[in-house]
């Protein structure tokens, strides 16, 4: 491999801080020079199935991405015992062939851990992850239970979308959690275990029939509940910081419990059963001047004459109605 093909960032003193080998389609690193002073190594989108032993000697390495390769559990096992890598803060194992959470107890300062898009059936092993962790991504696996999370007091982002979860549980100690992503699971009821500081929640494409459960999340700014079976808007009046609300593709016949909200900017109501536009203005009264985007297409009310014009009259600062953007 020619040296000029490798993307590096010079540290200023001649040391190379970053080596980016994204999409080189490498099967191994035999012909790659690996500078000993690396701080970041990105091996995304290659054909790697085993780790080069030289990586284990990178004592300054802080960020390692093995995303979109062919690693199985045995292939990543060396990471768990290479003491030279103990300073890692970011470990990305997304989109490989893992069937379990690897033992990452060696990394006492880990901040970001990503094992999404694998074949992991359980969160067993998370108990060994450092309590310093701030971002955890385990989406698109086969996880059936939320567990071994209790010690992650510093966690700010939890992504467990596209799994097989049925129950929201074991969240009560995640008091710094800012974002919770649980879309595409099998969850039937909302249970935030007393958490009140979350700013973004996604429960899209689950089996919810009720919105009850969010009323104590007074810091909530974005709420995504599309593609469920919700028939009534409720439990929203206390969410005074809400800016984005997506309840599209449900079973709603009216717009309720958001008239007191004053910061709503985006409102997604499309693909429901809302019959009339007459009550929309009063239903969104508090955010009448703030609302910039509204989706109502594929409702009976969207068939009304001058549908878009009527909405623009109700909400003077609208910039978008459905797919129509107004400059």
């Amino acid at each position: 491999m020619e040296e000029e093909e490798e993307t590096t960032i010079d540290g200023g003193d001649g040391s190379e801080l970053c080596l980016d080998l994204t999409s080189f389609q490498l099967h191994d690193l035999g012909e790659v020079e690996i500078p000993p002073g690396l701080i970041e190594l990105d091996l995304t989108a290659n054909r790697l199935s085993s780790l080069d032993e030289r990586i284990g000697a990178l004592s300054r390495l802080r960020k390692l991405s093995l995303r979109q390769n062919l690693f199985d559990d045995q292939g990543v096992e060396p990471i768990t015992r290479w003491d030279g890598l103990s300073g890692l803060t970011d470990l990305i194992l997304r989109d490989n062939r893992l069937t379990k959470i690897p033992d990452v107890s060696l990394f006492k300062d880990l901040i970001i851990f990503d094992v999404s898009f694998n074949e992991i059936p359980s969160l067993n092993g998370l108990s060994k992850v450092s309590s310093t962790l701030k971002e955890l991504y385990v989406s698109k696996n086969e996880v059936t239970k939320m567990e071994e999370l209790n010690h992650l007091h510093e966690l700010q982002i939890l992504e467990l979308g596209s799994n097989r979860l049925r129950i929201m549980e074991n969240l009560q100690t995640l008091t710094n959690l800012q974002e919770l992503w649980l879309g595409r699971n099998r969850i039937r009821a909302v249970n935030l275990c007393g958490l009140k500081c979350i700013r973004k929640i996604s429960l899209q494409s689950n089996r919810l029939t009720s919105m009850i459960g969010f009323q104590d999340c007074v810091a909530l700014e974005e709420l995504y509940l599309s593609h469920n079976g919700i028939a009534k808007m409720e439990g929203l009046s206390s969410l005074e910081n809400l800016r984005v609300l997506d309840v599209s593709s449900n079973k709603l016949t009216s717009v309720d419990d958001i008239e007191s909200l004053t910061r709503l900017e985006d409102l997604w109501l499309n693909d429901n059963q809302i019959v009339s536009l007459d009550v929309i203005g009063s239903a969104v009264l508090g955010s009448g001047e703030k609302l910039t985007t509204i989706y109502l297409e594929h409702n009976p009310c969207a068939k009304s004459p001058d549908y878009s014009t009527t909405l623009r009259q109700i909400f003077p600062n609208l910039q978008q109605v459905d797919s129509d953007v107004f400059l």
Side-chain angles (χ1 to χ4, degrees):
M1 180 177 298
E2 296 180 1
E3 186 173 335
E4 62 269 22
E5 290 181 318
E6 301 174 10
T7 302
T8 61
I9 299 175
D10 196 288
D13 57 357
S15 63
E16 293 169 334
L17 300 181
C18 174
L19 178 57
D20 187 349
L21 296 171
T22 298
S23 299
F24 273 59
Q25 298 300 309
L26 297 169
H27 289 263
D28 61 66
L29 301 181
E31 298 183 11
V32 177
E33 181 181 353
I34 301 180
L38 281 182
I39 290 178
E40 181 174 353
L41 176 58
D42 193 339
L43 297 170
T44 296
N46 283 286
R47 306 291 294 172
L48 301 171
S49 59
S50 61
L51 287 165
D52 192 299
E53 291 187 357
R54 291 174 295 169
I55 295 175
L58 299 176
S59 60
R60 295 181 60 194
L61 197 66
R62 296 296 177 264
K63 299 181 180 182
L64 175 61
S65 177
L66 302 175
R67 176 176 180 171
Q68 201 175 337
N69 278 280
L70 303 174
F71 287 102
D72 58 15
D73 300 326
Q74 184 176 359
V76 299
E77 189 275 335
I79 289 179
T80 68
R81 49 185 170 81
W82 282 344
D83 292 340
L85 296 182
S86 61
L88 272 185
T89 60
D90 297 18
L91 179 57
I92 312 300
L93 300 173
R94 183 185 184 97
D95 199 358
N96 279 283
R97 298 177 176 178
L98 304 182
T99 62
K100 64 180 180 180
I101 303 286
D103 183 350
V104 292
S105 55
L106 178 66
F107 312 122
K108 304 301 184 184
D109 299 314
L110 199 62
I111 294 175
I112 299 174
F113 185 38
D114 188 345
V115 289
S116 296
F117 288 82
N118 280 284
E119 302 167 16
I120 299 170
S122 168
L123 296 183
N124 289 340
L126 278 185
S127 60
K128 296 182 180 180
V129 176
S130 172
S131 60
T132 59
L133 198 69
K134 292 186 177 181
E135 300 181 18
L136 174 61
Y137 303 91
V138 199
S139 62
K140 200 64 171 68
N141 280 282
E142 300 172 7
V143 176
T144 59
K145 182 178 176 61
M146 298 174 69
E147 57 187 336
E148 300 195 21
L149 298 167
N150 294 344
H151 66 296
L152 301 177
H153 306 296
E154 300 300 317
L155 199 65
Q156 296 179 2
I157 300 176
L158 176 58
E159 162 67 275
L160 285 168
S162 298
N163 278 285
R164 298 180 180 179
L165 299 170
R166 295 181 183 272
I167 300 175
M168 297 173 66
E169 57 187 334
N170 299 318
L171 295 170
Q172 58 271 12
T173 61
L174 308 184
T175 52
N176 286 301
L177 198 64
Q178 301 290 303
E179 300 181 18
L180 178 60
W181 303 90
L182 294 172
R184 295 186 178 275
N185 278 285
R186 303 171 184 181
I187 297 168
R188 294 183 179 273
V190 177
N191 179 14
L192 292 170
C193 304
L195 297 184
K196 299 179 180 180
C197 296
I198 300 180
R199 298 184 182 278
K200 298 180 182 180
I201 297 176
S202 173
L203 279 160
Q204 296 171 309
S205 300
N206 275 278
R207 299 177 182 178
L208 299 178
T209 56
S210 171
M211 298 179 71
I212 296 296
F214 301 108
Q215 54 269 22
D216 293 330
C217 295
V218 293
L220 199 61
E221 297 178 2
E222 300 180 20
L223 179 58
Y224 302 96
L225 299 174
S226 66
H227 295 90
N228 279 284
I230 299 168
K232 182 180 180 180
M233 294 175 64
E234 55 189 335
L236 300 173
S237 59
S238 60
L239 307 182
E240 58 185 23
N241 291 297
L242 201 63
R243 295 185 299 102
V244 179
L245 175 60
D246 182 357
V247 285
S248 59
S249 299
N250 278 282
K251 298 179 179 180
L252 301 172
T253 57
S254 62
V255 182
D256 303 295
D257 210 32
I258 59 172
E259 61 271 12
S260 63
L261 304 185
T262 59
R263 301 184 181 183
L264 205 58
E265 299 173 6
D266 285 31
L267 179 57
W268 296 61
L269 295 163
N270 54 285
D271 295 275
N272 279 287
Q273 300 165 21
I274 300 168
V275 176
S276 174
L277 288 177
D278 295 342
V279 297
I280 295 291
S282 58
V284 196
L285 182 63
S287 297
E289 299 290 328
K290 195 76 173 178
L291 200 71
T292 58
T293 299
I294 187 169
Y295 275 75
L296 267 169
E297 60 186 347
H298 307 306
N299 279 282
C301 65
K303 298 178 182 179
S304 303
D306 300 320
Y307 154 72
S308 180
T309 301
T310 300
L311 286 174
R312 294 180 70 183
Q313 290 173 347
I314 296 172
F315 305 111
N317 293 312
L318 271 186
Q319 298 174 9
Q320 181 171 352
V321 174
D322 301 328
S323 58
D324 296 327
V325 179
F326 313 114
L327 300 177

